[in-house]
């Protein structure tokens, strides 16, 4: 060996106890006390919706204006009871909406907390990841490339650290940072300028790593002083919202026009203009589908909450719409398909000897293998976070402690050469503290990159390639390790300028996650092609892909892809399943090629360089555990546990949410047809008026919770993952859905109008007819609930499927109907007459008749609804 140092002169790299002694950080008790005293590390939000603000918004709703208008008319007619009850209904409407909206705000607030930048801190000597808002003054924060700085801090350690402070200074060029001990005097604490020891909240670490002590949080930070909000939750209006507004606007204009005409006809033909206004208000209420925007808001917020329960955070509401349309799922390997729990399985020294670590636990290594492990540790971070570096440290502690003196600080890390796009290797330079000018250089990285650094000849390079292929064929992640020496304090610009000696290869294993094959199978049945894009060796990628259940027809490498033009790549991505040895910037080309082929792309990523591809993908999926803040900010959803199975759960839930939203919309269309028809029919033909504002208000009290509770809680369809992806251009209000809603509503109206007209023909009293028709209408609405519970399953299957909210709503509706029939005050208020057993049988038969007819018609409409 040519390295000019003895085995006893090494550096303490894998002894966390010494680091903990030096930087133990605050205790949990101290941190909590400061959190209580100084508040959360966040800036006040100006757009937070309080219950009072929600109440003011509700008061401006057209439906409430109609209810209040009806109350004023009742007062003018001298009907104090009706006016008060209508006011009570208005109050209930406000209360229900405030409760629903406040619940939504609580859900959104919880999601905002999850989306706040995550911070890695040292507390009580232990490293842990917490929400950025929980960082307190005095915390020790650990920062790496791609991290968003959670608070203003003073650097205690810095390794080639550069920070983008453009958010504060407007200057886009990153600035160099040094540790506070590396400068002679500490200048004023301000953003901007090179070689300063301060980092600032909201800035971005674009290179290197370091550790800092927090000096200011929240409004006390520099960004807090200038009042700049850093909320990462960008609320972009989803496409569905625009569709919803357009539909509601059309209904409102048509309903308003019909109501005005109805008031004029009633007043001119019958006289009694106040009664005409009441009839017009009732008709307007019956035709205004004010449930649409409420239902959409609740479904999107509760959908995001449900998806978060699957350990997936939805950062943009539009992602929920797009999830069901994904046709391609591009995933990386390490940590997503695998457990990201690396262990060193094999050591292969430069002379070709192999040592299987699983076969020799606890046994001391030969000198050559020990040098290989030791150099791998020296080439890793002092406080390891990357799973591969953790594996090096762990093996070093287990196998080198007996014959290596690792507890003498004879060497210190003076410089780190990070990975670069053109060189997949990193080197650490360690300098002797004895002042003799000797430096140790330890390098690790991709085998071909290490081979290039060592300037191997053709024969040795071929032998290296054969060894790598043999190890990779066993599913191992292979790294090369080399060391070198340097004299003097002037270090070269690049790693190529050192003289390295090749030490050998290290094979690491990372087991496949348990549920991955099943999740891949679900994707296949759902018409979603899974594509693996990894920086790993092709043979390793192929092995893991086979274990995961992917169709490994061909493997495209980064170098092969580099030679392809855009048109050739667009053809290649149609059949390729595995991309190996891919650089992060090449992911963007893959995404663009897939999109050019008409695919809807979901893409995972975790690094700074992944941000462009995440932003370009239809659904960007960032890693919550190991991902950088930049990747999270560029993404649509974040995997909190980095598990591939969670992506598939999110797709399943996204399809369920959209299905249930369509069911609710179809139900609303259907229900408003008979309500509006029964309000309009007497006006057109001079018949006794059936419903006033109080009846319509009662019906709204039934419809709102049905939509918000029953359909939102409906479980998924049996075929939810056996259907092809939904066309992203297909509207929520498709002609098939509108037609289905109108068909249901028209059938219900015809049946109810028949009951009304027959009762009139038989000479029943007006109040008895009103009660009979109203009861029949409510039970018909209950029947429509069961019809719309499933578009694909039979009624029996839908009845068996559990839905606690449905049972609660049905019991509540039955209780309210019983109250209006048995309680004299309610009977008088609703102007209901008595109903006999045969009348009740007619109302129940009406509900069952609608249910039975529509179940038969659904057989012929089902395929249209699936489209």
């Amino acid at each position: 060996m040519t390295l000019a140092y003895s085995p006893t002169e090494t550096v303490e790299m894998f002894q966390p106890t010494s680091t903990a002694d030096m930087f133990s950080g605050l205790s949990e008790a101290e941190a909590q006390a400061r959190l209580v005293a100084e508040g959360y590390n966040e800036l006040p939000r100006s757009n937070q919706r309080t219950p009072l603000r929600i109440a003011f918004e509700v008061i401006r709703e057209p439906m409430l204006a109609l209810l209040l208008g009806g109350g004023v008319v009742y007062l003018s007619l001298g009907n104090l009871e009706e006016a008060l009850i209508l006011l009570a209904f208005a109050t209930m409407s406000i209360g229900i909406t405030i409760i629903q909206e406040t619940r939504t705000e609580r859900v959104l607030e919880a999601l905002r907390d999850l989306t706040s930048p995550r911070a890695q801190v040292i507390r009580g000597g232990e490293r842990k990841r917490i929400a950025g808002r929980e960082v307190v003054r005095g915390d020790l924060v650990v920062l790496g490339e791609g991290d968003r700085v959670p608070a203003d801090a003073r650097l205690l350690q810095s390794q080639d650290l550069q920070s983008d402070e453009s958010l504060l200074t407007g200057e886009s060029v990153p600035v160099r940072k040094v540790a506070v001990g590396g400068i002679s005097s500490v200048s004023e604490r301000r953003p901007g300028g090179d070689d300063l020891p301060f980092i600032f909240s909201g800035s971005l670490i674009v290179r290197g790593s370091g550790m800092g002590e927090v000096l200011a949080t929240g409004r006390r930070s520099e960004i807090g002083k200038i009042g700049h909000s850093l909320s990462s939750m960008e609320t972009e209006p989803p496409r569905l919202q625009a569709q919803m507004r357009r539909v509601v606007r059309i209904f409102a204009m048509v309903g308003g026009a019909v109501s005005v005409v109805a008031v004029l006809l009633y007043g001119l033909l019958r006289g009694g203009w106040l009664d005409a206004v009441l009839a017009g208000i009732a008709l307007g209420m019956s035709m205004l589908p004010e449930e649409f925007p409420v239902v959409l808001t609740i479904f999107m917020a509760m959908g995001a909450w449900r998806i978060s329960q699957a350990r997936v955070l939805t950062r943009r509401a539009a992602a929920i719409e797009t999830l069901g349309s994904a046709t391609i799922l591009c995933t990386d390997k390490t940590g997503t398909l695998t457990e990201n729990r690396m262990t060193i399985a094999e050591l292969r020294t430069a002379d070709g000897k192999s040592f299987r670590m699983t076969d020799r636990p606890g046994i001391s290594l030969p000198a050559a293998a020990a040098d290989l492990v030791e150099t791998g540790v020296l080439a890793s971070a002092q406080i390891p976070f990357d799973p591969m570096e953790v594996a090096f440290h762990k093996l070093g502690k287990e196998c080198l402690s007996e014959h290596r003196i690792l507890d003498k600080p004879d060497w210190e890390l003076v410089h780190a050469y990070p990975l670069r796009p053109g060189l997949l290797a990193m080197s650490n330079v360690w300098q002797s503290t004895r002042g003799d000018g000797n430096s140790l250089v330890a390098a690790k990285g991709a085998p071909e990159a290490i081979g290039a650094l060592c300037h191997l000849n053709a024969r040795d390079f071929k032998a290296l390639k054969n060894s790598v292929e043999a190890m990779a064929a066993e599913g191992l992640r292979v790294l090369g390790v080399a060391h070198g020496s340097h004299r003097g304090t002037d270090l070269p610009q690049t790693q190529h300028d050192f003289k390295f000696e090749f030490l050998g290869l290290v094979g690491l294993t990372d087991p496949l996650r348990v549920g991955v094959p099943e999740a891949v199978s679900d994707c296949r049945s759902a018409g979603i092609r899974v594509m693996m894009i990894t920086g790993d060796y092709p043979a390793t990628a192929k092995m893991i892909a086979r274990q995961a259940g992917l169709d490994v027809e061909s493997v495209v490498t980064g170098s092969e892809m580099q030679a392809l033009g855009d048109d050739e790549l667009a053809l290649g991505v149609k059949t390729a399943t595995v991309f190996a040895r891919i650089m992060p910037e090449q992911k963007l080309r893959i995404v663009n090629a897939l999109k050019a082929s008409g695919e809807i792309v979901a893409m995972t990523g975790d690094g700074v360089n992944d941000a462009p591809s995440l932003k370009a993908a239809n659904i960007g999926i960032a890693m919550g555990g190991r991902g950088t803040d930049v990747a999270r900010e560029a993404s649509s959803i974040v995997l909190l546990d980095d598990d591939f199975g969670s992506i598939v759960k999110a797709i399943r839930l996204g399809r369920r949410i959209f299905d249930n939203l369509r069911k609710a919309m179809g139900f609303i269309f259907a229900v408003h047809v008979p309500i509006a028809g029964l309000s309009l029919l007497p006006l057109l033909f001079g018949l006794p008026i059936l419903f006033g504002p109080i009846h319509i208000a009662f019906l709204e009290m039934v419809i709102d919770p049905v939509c918000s509770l029953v359909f939102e809680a409906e479980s998924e369809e049996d075929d939810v993952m056996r259907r092809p992806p939904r066309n992203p251009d297909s509207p929520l209000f498709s002609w098939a859905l509108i037609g289905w809603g109108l068909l249901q509503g028209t059938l219900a109206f015809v049946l109810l109008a028949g009951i009304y007209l027959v009762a009139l023909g038989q000479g029943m009293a007006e109040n008895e007819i009103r009660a009979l028709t109203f009861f029949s209408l409510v039970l018909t609405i209950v029947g429509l609930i069961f019809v719309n519970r499933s578009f694909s399953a039979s009624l029996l299957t839908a009845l068996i499927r559990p839905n606690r909210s449905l049972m609660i709503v049905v019991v509540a509706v039955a209780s309210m109907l019983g109250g209006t029939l048995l309680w004299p005050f309610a009977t008088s208020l609703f102007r209901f007459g008595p109903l006999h057993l045969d009348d009740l049988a007619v109302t129940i038969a009406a509900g069952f008749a609608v249910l039975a007819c529509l179940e038969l018609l659904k057989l012929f409409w089902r395929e249209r609804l699936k489209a």
Side-chain angles (χ1 to χ4, degrees):
M1 301 204 313
T2 59
L3 193 60
Y5 69 99
S6 68
T8 60
E9 297 173 338
T10 186
V11 182
E12 179 190 278
M13 288 291 292
F14 32 83
Q15 294 215 0
T17 53
S18 62
T19 304
D21 292 339
M22 291 174 60
F23 302 111
S24 60
L26 300 175
S27 67
E28 279 296 336
E30 289 172 326
Q32 291 304 315
R34 291 192 184 184
L35 193 63
V36 172
E38 300 179 5
Y40 285 106
N41 178 34
E42 60 186 3
L43 301 174
R45 297 189 184 98
S46 58
N47 60 345
Q48 195 167 4
R49 298 173 74 226
T50 62
L52 185 61
R53 180 176 172 182
I54 294 170
F56 279 120
E57 291 175 0
V58 173
I59 289 172
R60 296 200 300 267
E61 289 294 323
M63 181 62 74
L64 187 64
L66 291 173
L67 282 170
L68 294 176
V72 171
V73 174
Y74 273 128
L75 280 176
S76 303
L77 292 171
N79 296 333
L80 180 61
E81 288 181 349
E82 282 86 344
L84 291 176
I85 293 298
L86 209 58
L87 183 62
F89 273 132
T91 305
M92 285 174 62
S93 177
I94 294 173
I96 288 173
T97 306
I98 289 175
I99 290 170
Q100 289 173 335
E101 293 284 321
T102 304
R103 182 186 181 196
T104 301
E105 283 298 309
R106 282 201 302 269
V107 169
L108 292 175
E109 188 66 26
L111 295 175
R112 286 190 193 105
D113 290 346
L114 286 173
T115 57
S116 70
R118 314 299 286 172
Q120 197 171 173
V121 299
I122 297 176
R123 286 185 179 170
E126 295 183 3
R127 178 184 296 204
K128 57 175 63 179
R129 190 172 285 275
I130 62 174
R133 67 194 298 266
E134 296 176 6
V135 171
V136 298
R137 183 175 52 83
D139 260 330
L140 294 181
V141 293
V142 180
L143 298 165
E145 184 176 322
D147 287 346
R148 184 72 70 180
V149 179
D152 291 3
R154 175 179 56 200
L155 277 174
L156 304 179
Q157 288 184 352
S158 175
Q159 296 178 12
D160 193 28
L161 192 143
Q162 292 187 15
S163 173
D164 177 0
E165 296 178 349
S166 57
L167 192 65
L168 294 163
T169 64
E171 296 294 332
S172 59
V173 179
V175 291
R176 292 190 308 272
K177 296 294 179 179
V178 296
V180 69
I183 54 175
S184 56
S185 61
V186 178
S187 59
E188 179 186 1
R189 194 174 88 199
R190 59 175 177 78
D194 287 323
D195 300 326
L196 295 176
F198 299 110
I199 49 177
F200 299 92
S201 177
S203 57
L204 178 68
I205 305 301
V206 296
R207 180 173 171 178
S209 60
M211 181 170 63
E213 179 187 3
V214 173
L215 301 176
T217 61
R219 65 181 65 195
R220 300 175 187 83
S221 65
E222 287 298 313
I223 202 165
K225 290 176 184 176
I226 62 175
H228 190 88
S229 175
L230 284 181
S231 173
S232 61
M233 287 219 33
E234 302 171 5
T235 53
E236 56 181 54
R239 188 170 52 89
L240 291 183
Q241 210 171 67
Q243 291 183 32
M244 196 74 71
R245 287 173 182 159
R246 189 161 56 249
V247 171
V248 171
R249 196 180 302 120
I250 292 170
F251 269 88
M253 289 190 294
V254 172
V258 171
S259 296
V260 171
V261 171
V263 170
L264 293 175
L265 287 175
Y266 190 106
L268 293 173
L269 298 177
R270 300 192 186 192
W273 286 97
L274 285 177
D275 287 332
V277 171
L278 277 178
I281 288 173
L283 183 59
M285 290 172 64
S286 70
M287 297 188 69
L288 181 64
E290 57 93 25
E291 303 90 355
F292 280 158
V294 175
V295 166
L296 179 63
T297 302
I298 290 172
F299 269 59
M300 290 297 109
M302 292 304 297
W305 176 79
R306 288 188 188 279
I307 291 176
S308 75
Q309 301 305 293
R311 306 292 295 158
V312 178
L313 171 65
T314 309
R315 297 189 65 253
R316 294 178 176 86
I320 298 177
E321 302 173 27
T322 318
L323 275 171
S325 305
T327 58
I328 292 280
L329 178 51
C330 299
T331 176
D332 56 358
K333 178 181 71 67
T334 304
T336 308
L337 295 177
T338 63
E339 293 182 1
N340 200 22
R341 182 172 49 82
M342 290 284 188
T343 58
I344 293 177
E346 182 178 351
L347 301 172
R348 190 168 292 204
T349 55
D351 57 7
K353 292 182 179 178
S354 177
F355 303 90
R356 298 289 299 187
M357 304 311 298
T358 53
D359 300 334
R360 20 189 330 127
I363 297 177
S364 297
L365 295 172
D371 285 340
L372 179 60
V373 174
E374 181 189 33
T375 306
V377 175
L378 293 172
S380 303
Q382 288 176 280
I383 305 174
F385 181 66
D386 181 273
M388 289 186 290
E389 297 191 339
V390 170
F392 272 108
H393 278 258
K394 183 174 182 292
L395 186 60
K397 286 174 64 178
E398 293 173 354
C399 300
L400 302 182
S401 56
E402 293 181 3
H403 76 286
R404 301 282 168 142
I405 301 175
L406 302 166
D407 55 355
K408 292 183 179 179
D410 294 331
W411 301 84
E412 64 178 355
L413 181 64
V414 294
H415 190 68
Y417 294 89
L419 292 171
R420 289 286 179 266
L423 182 61
L424 296 178
M426 62 177 294
S427 299
N428 283 341
V429 181
W430 297 87
Q431 202 168 73
S432 171
T433 58
R434 296 189 297 273
D436 55 11
N438 285 334
S439 297
L440 319 175
V441 188
K444 74 177 190 323
E448 60 267 32
I450 294 296
L453 285 179
C454 296
H455 306 292
L456 298 181
N457 58 41
R459 183 174 57 84
D460 291 340
F461 214 97
K462 184 178 180 181
L464 170 66
K465 185 178 179 181
N466 291 337
S467 295
V468 170
E469 288 179 350
M471 296 171 71
E474 298 178 14
L476 298 180
R477 175 76 178 269
V478 186
L479 292 180
V481 176
H483 66 191
S485 62
H486 183 76
R487 287 194 60 83
T489 57
D490 294 333
L491 297 175
Q493 291 294 320
T494 68
Q495 301 176 66
H496 279 290
D497 295 327
F498 291 109
K499 185 177 180 181
F500 283 105
E501 178 187 355
F502 183 68
L503 291 181
L505 300 172
V506 178
L508 299 103
T509 184
D510 185 9
L512 195 73
R513 288 184 183 267
V514 175
V516 165
E518 182 182 354
V520 170
S521 176
D522 286 344
C523 286
R524 186 179 289 109
S525 63
I528 302 169
R529 183 156 63 98
V530 180
M531 181 183 289
M532 188 170 81
I533 303 174
T534 178
D536 214 338
Y537 201 74
T540 305
K542 188 180 291 188
M543 171 73 73
I544 295 296
R546 284 202 184 101
Q547 292 176 5
L550 299 180
D551 297 324
V552 188
E553 295 179 4
S554 61
V555 177
V556 179
T557 65
S559 57
E560 291 171 351
M561 181 181 151
Q562 200 72 29
L564 297 177
D566 290 342
D567 293 339
E568 294 171 309
L569 182 61
L571 289 173
V573 294
K574 292 182 178 180
T575 56
T577 307
V578 179
F579 285 80
R581 274 297 186 251
I582 296 296
M583 296 298 296
E585 55 268 25
Q586 290 179 313
K587 287 186 178 182
L588 180 59
R589 282 196 69 201
I590 296 173
V591 170
N592 289 334
L594 288 168
K595 290 173 70 176
S597 302
E599 306 285 0
I600 305 300
V601 185
M603 163 71 78
T604 66
D606 57 4
V608 178
N609 292 334
D610 289 333
S613 59
L614 291 174
K615 222 171 186 58
N618 303 95
I619 310 167
I621 304 171
M623 302 297 118
R626 70 180 190 276
T628 60
D629 288 328
V630 175
R632 283 192 286 271
E633 289 169 13
S635 65
S636 305
I637 63 178
V638 178
L639 296 186
L640 298 180
D641 56 6
D642 298 356
D643 188 354
F644 177 80
S646 297
I647 305 175
V648 181
K649 289 178 187 174
I651 292 173
R652 181 187 294 272
L653 284 169
R655 291 187 173 194
R656 166 188 162 178
I657 291 163
F658 196 84
D659 279 354
N660 289 345
L661 187 58
R662 292 179 72 235
K663 294 171 188 176
M665 297 308 166
F667 172 79
I668 293 172
F669 266 115
V671 164
H672 276 277
V673 172
I675 295 175
L678 291 173
S679 299
L680 188 59
L681 180 66
L683 291 174
L684 292 177
F685 296 100
L687 302 174
I689 299 297
L690 276 173
F691 302 145
I694 198 165
H695 302 95
I696 307 298
F698 178 91
L699 291 171
E700 293 295 333
M701 295 300 106
V702 174
I703 297 170
D704 270 349
V706 165
C707 295
S708 303
L709 297 176
V710 174
F711 288 113
E712 195 283 324
E714 194 64 48
S715 56
E716 66 197 38
E717 300 278 355
D718 293 335
D719 65 342
V720 69
M721 292 299 282
R722 295 197 300 271
R723 298 183 227 138
R726 181 178 57 85
N727 187 337
D729 296 325
S730 63
L732 173 64
F733 298 100
S734 64
W735 288 112
L737 183 66
I738 294 172
W740 175 239
L742 291 175
L743 177 63
Q744 295 178 83
T746 303
L747 179 64
F749 169 67
V750 169
L751 179 64
L752 294 168
I755 292 173
Y756 170 56
L757 295 174
V758 168
L760 272 176
Q762 290 182 347
M764 287 182 67
E766 183 179 323
N767 57 357
E768 291 183 9
I769 295 173
R770 181 176 293 108
L772 177 66
T773 309
F774 187 82
F775 270 57
S776 299
L777 173 60
V778 173
L779 291 179
T780 299
I781 290 174
V782 173
L784 291 176
I785 297 173
F786 285 96
V787 170
N788 286 280
R789 284 191 67 192
S790 175
F791 289 155
S792 60
S794 65
L795 177 62
L796 180 61
T797 304
L799 288 173
I800 295 173
R801 184 183 295 159
N803 188 329
R804 186 182 301 175
S805 298
L806 174 61
M807 295 300 102
I808 294 172
V809 167
V810 169
V811 170
V813 169
S815 302
M816 286 189 289
L817 279 180
T820 59
L821 190 64
L822 301 176
W823 187 22
F825 174 77
T827 303
S828 171
L829 181 68
F830 282 87
R831 300 194 299 280
F832 284 166
L835 291 179
H836 306 96
L837 288 178
D838 55 343
D839 299 323
L840 291 174
V842 169
T843 64
I844 295 171
F848 277 110
V850 167
L851 181 59
C853 290
L854 289 174
E855 277 299 314
L856 290 175
L857 290 172
K858 191 195 292 183
L859 296 174
F860 304 98
W861 211 275
R862 184 171 291 162
E863 291 304 317
R864 301 183 195 179
L865 291 172
K866 287 182 180 180

